[in-house]
Amino acid sequence: MEKHYHIVTYGCQMNVHDSERIAGMLIELGYSEAPSLEEADIIVFNTCCIRENAENHFFGNLGALKALKREKKDLIIAAGGCLTQQKGMAETVHKKFPFVDIVFGTHNLGKLKDYILQKRDGYKKSIIRIDEDTGVIYEGSSFRTSYPNAWVNITFGCNNFCTYCIVPYVKGRERSRKSENILAECRQLLDEGYGEITLLGQNVNSYNNGSDDLSFPELLRKIGDMDGKFRLRFMTSHPKDFSEDIALAIAGSSHICDCLHLPVQSGSDRILKAMNRHYTRDDYLRKIDILRKHVPDCAVTTDLIVGFPGETDVDFKDTLSLVKEVGYASAFTFVYSPRTGTPAAKMEGQIPENVSKARIMELVELVNSQTRTMSKKYIGKTVEILVEDYDEKRGLYLGRDEHGRMGYFSSDEDEVGNFVNVKINHSNGVSIMGDKV
C-alpha cells in the first residue's frame, strides 16, 4: 500500500531547502507527497523561531492534529527545526503534545530517516533527540520543489552573534560544505535543466574562511565558469565580510546576477554597535561604492530593523537617510521583536509598540516609493525573464529578471523554465508587465 508524506514549512528559503532535503529522505523511504494533509501517513513540521509569533503558529497547527492522530493510529508526526532546537523546547513539545512521535533539532536532521524507521519498526515511545552541534554536515538527496530555481546550501550556522538573532544558538557555529560537493551538486542541477541556482548560508561571504578549500569568490568563479544558460545568485552576504574580490567575481561572470542582497539593518552607528554588526555606516557605504565601481548596474536589496532597543528618533532618521543614499531596489523591513535567549531581549530601552509601528510605516513608504520609481524606469526596455510560474487568475506567466524584478507577460506556449525577452510597457509597484518579443 502506497504511503504519503506532508511537510509543513515555516520561515526562510534555507528552511524551504531543508524541507526539500527532508522530502528527499522520505522519498527514499518509499513515501510520496500526500494529496492532502488528512491522507498523509507521516507529517513533518520544519519550524523556525526567527519571528516572535512562530511558536504560537506551530503549537496551534500541531494541536489541530490531535483528532487526526486519534483516528489514524499509525500516523507518524515529527517536529524539528530551529524552534525545537531551542533549550527546553523539545521537552515542552513532548509535554504539551504527547501524541508527537519524533522531536528532532537542526543538528540531527540527517538522522531523521533512522528515527522514522524506528517508529515504523514498532518502537512505542516518542523519540526526543536534540543533539549538540558536532560540525557534521548531512550530504543527502533533495526533492526539489521550486523549478526552475534551485537552492544550494554552502554554509550552515553562524559565528556572528548579532545581539537580536537566535540563529547561532539554534543552528550552531558556522561550518562549510566541501567545495567538491557544492560544485558536483551545481553541475547536476544544470544537467537537469535548472535555470537559476541560489547559494545559501547565514553568511555566504565567510565560506571556508581560513581553510585550505576555495574562498567564496573562488567558488563563485568556479560555478560561474560552468557551461550552459543559467543564472547564479547568493544570499545572505554579511557586510563586514563583503570584499572587492566578490565584486570582481560578480563583474567577471555573465552568469552571476548583477543583484546583491546586503543587509544593513540600521543606518545608525550607535544601533549597529548595539546590534554587534561589526561595521559602521561609513564601512557599509564604502562596500556599496566598491560594488558599484565594478558592477555599476547592480541592484542592491537589504534588510532593515526598526524599534531596536534604545533606538531614538535620530537613529531612525539615520536609517531613512541611508535608504535614500544607497537607493535600494527593494528591502525587507521588520519591527524588532525580542527573542528569548538573545542579549537584545534583556536590553534596556525596549521601544513602545506604537512608536515602532509609526516608524515601520514611514520606512515602508520610503522603500516602496523608491521601488516604484525604479520599476517605472523599466518601461520601454526589453528584459530577459526566467519564467517561474503561471498565474491562473491573471492568465499571465511570471518570473524575474537578473536584478530580481518580477515581470508578467502572456503567451500561448508553456514558458515555465524558459528565458523569455519581454518588452515592458507598464509597472505596478514592485512588478513590471509587458509583451513577449
Side-chain angles (χ1 to χ4, degrees):
M1 182 176 172
E2 189 175 9
K3 291 185 175 293
H4 298 96
Y5 71 84
H6 181 83
I7 301 174
V8 181
T9 306
Y10 303 83
C12 63
Q13 293 300 344
M14 281 178 273
N15 261 30
V16 171
H17 184 46
D18 279 346
S19 289
E20 291 181 335
R21 296 162 72 203
I22 292 170
M25 299 179 201
L26 296 173
I27 290 169
E28 289 176 357
L29 290 174
Y31 292 92
S32 59
E33 191 168 9
S36 67
L37 183 143
E38 289 75 19
E39 296 175 73
D41 299 285
I42 180 169
I43 298 171
V44 182
F45 288 85
N46 182 18
T47 65
C48 177
C49 62
I50 304 302
R51 298 287 159 251
E52 186 178 19
N53 59 359
E55 184 177 318
N56 292 335
H57 285 168
F58 168 54
F59 283 172
N61 290 332
L62 197 56
L65 293 180
K66 185 176 182 179
L68 183 62
K69 178 72 172 181
R70 189 184 299 118
E71 180 184 332
K72 297 179 67 172
K73 300 295 185 183
D74 293 333
L75 172 66
I76 297 174
I77 299 176
C82 298
L83 191 62
T84 55
Q85 187 70 46
Q86 284 185 284
K87 186 176 181 179
M89 185 56 71
E91 292 75 13
T92 298
V93 171
H94 180 54
K95 184 177 180 180
K96 286 189 172 184
F97 309 98
F99 56 86
V100 174
D101 299 283
I102 302 167
V103 183
F104 63 101
T106 57
H107 303 322
N108 54 338
L109 183 149
K111 299 177 183 177
L112 179 59
K113 279 174 62 175
D114 295 334
Y115 305 153
I116 294 170
L117 287 172
Q118 286 183 50
K119 295 302 296 183
R120 291 202 332 196
D121 287 343
Y123 188 79
K124 299 296 183 183
K125 295 181 180 179
S126 297
I127 298 172
I128 315 297
R129 289 292 303 275
I130 307 296
D131 292 354
E132 295 295 323
D133 183 14
T134 62
V136 176
I137 292 175
Y138 168 72
E139 293 283 352
S141 60
S142 300
F143 176 64
R144 306 280 175 177
T145 57
S146 52
Y147 177 85
N149 303 313
W151 315 101
V152 176
N153 276 109
I154 67 170
T155 69
F156 297 89
C158 185
N159 291 342
N160 290 312
F161 289 91
C162 299
T163 57
Y164 55 82
C165 186
I166 195 70
V167 167
Y169 304 97
V170 294
K171 288 187 177 290
R173 301 303 293 264
E174 185 177 291
R175 53 217 185 272
S176 298
R177 292 178 66 196
K178 292 181 179 179
S179 61
E180 60 190 67
N181 293 335
I182 297 169
L183 295 173
E185 184 175 353
C186 290
R187 288 193 191 98
Q188 181 179 349
L189 289 167
L190 296 179
D191 289 342
E192 293 173 357
Y194 283 85
E196 184 170 294
I197 294 172
T198 301
L199 306 180
L200 295 177
Q202 295 296 331
N203 180 12
V204 291
N205 296 346
S206 62
Y207 169 81
N208 271 336
N209 198 7
S211 80
D212 58 359
D213 205 337
L214 298 177
S215 67
F216 182 57
E218 290 170 337
L219 181 67
L220 286 178
R221 291 187 178 98
K222 287 278 189 181
I223 301 172
D225 286 342
M226 292 182 180
D227 294 331
K229 173 73 173 176
F230 70 97
R231 291 175 181 165
L232 178 62
R233 301 185 191 272
F234 54 90
M235 64 185 303
T236 296
S237 288
H238 196 296
K240 75 179 177 63
D241 297 311
F242 183 81
S243 66
E244 187 165 23
D245 202 14
I246 296 174
L248 288 168
I250 298 171
S253 174
S254 60
H255 288 135
I256 304 175
C257 293
D258 290 355
C259 182
L260 177 69
H261 188 65
L262 197 64
V264 66
Q265 307 300 1
S266 174
S268 163
D269 282 345
R270 199 177 66 83
I271 296 300
L272 289 172
K273 184 176 181 180
M275 289 178 168
N276 195 37
R277 291 292 287 173
H278 299 289
Y279 56 83
T280 65
R281 177 192 180 105
D282 285 346
D283 293 335
Y284 183 88
L285 290 172
R286 278 194 291 271
K287 300 294 177 81
I288 295 295
D289 288 342
I290 289 170
L291 173 67
R292 287 179 170 159
K293 171 186 172 183
H294 298 291
V295 195
D297 195 35
C298 191
V300 181
T301 60
T302 198
D303 294 343
L304 296 160
I305 296 173
V306 302
F308 188 81
E311 182 187 64
T312 65
D313 287 340
V314 173
D315 295 322
F316 176 62
K317 296 299 181 186
D318 285 343
T319 295
L320 295 178
S321 67
L322 181 75
V323 170
K324 294 173 184 177
E325 187 169 353
V326 175
Y328 292 110
S330 63
F332 296 102
T333 57
F334 307 95
V335 172
Y336 167 77
S337 61
R339 305 308 298 132
T340 302
T342 62
K346 300 177 182 178
M347 288 182 179
E348 295 181 359
Q350 300 289 327
I351 305 300
E353 183 179 351
N354 65 314
V355 175
S356 292
K357 185 176 180 180
R359 287 176 182 171
I360 194 70
M361 290 176 67
E362 186 175 355
L363 177 61
V364 168
E365 177 52 38
L366 173 60
V367 169
N368 287 348
S369 67
Q370 290 185 337
T371 301
R372 287 192 295 267
T373 298
M374 291 184 183
S375 292
K376 287 178 182 178
K377 293 179 179 179
Y378 276 86
I379 296 175
K381 296 180 179 179
T382 297
V383 298
E384 185 179 63
I385 288 175
L386 174 58
V387 185
E388 300 176 4
D389 205 351
Y390 180 74
D391 188 325
E392 295 281 355
K393 290 184 178 179
R394 296 190 184 188
L396 299 172
Y397 284 95
L398 64 142
R400 300 181 188 274
D401 74 340
E402 77 160 308
H403 296 109
R405 191 69 67 192
M406 182 65 75
Y408 293 82
F409 68 96
S410 63
S411 176
D412 295 331
E413 304 172 36
D414 182 0
E415 301 286 6
V416 175
N418 295 337
F419 287 92
V420 176
N421 288 323
V422 177
K423 186 172 182 179
I424 306 305
N425 53 39
H426 181 65
S427 68
N428 180 20
V430 297
S431 303
I432 51 179
M433 301 87 171
D435 298 317
K436 176 182 171 183
V437 296

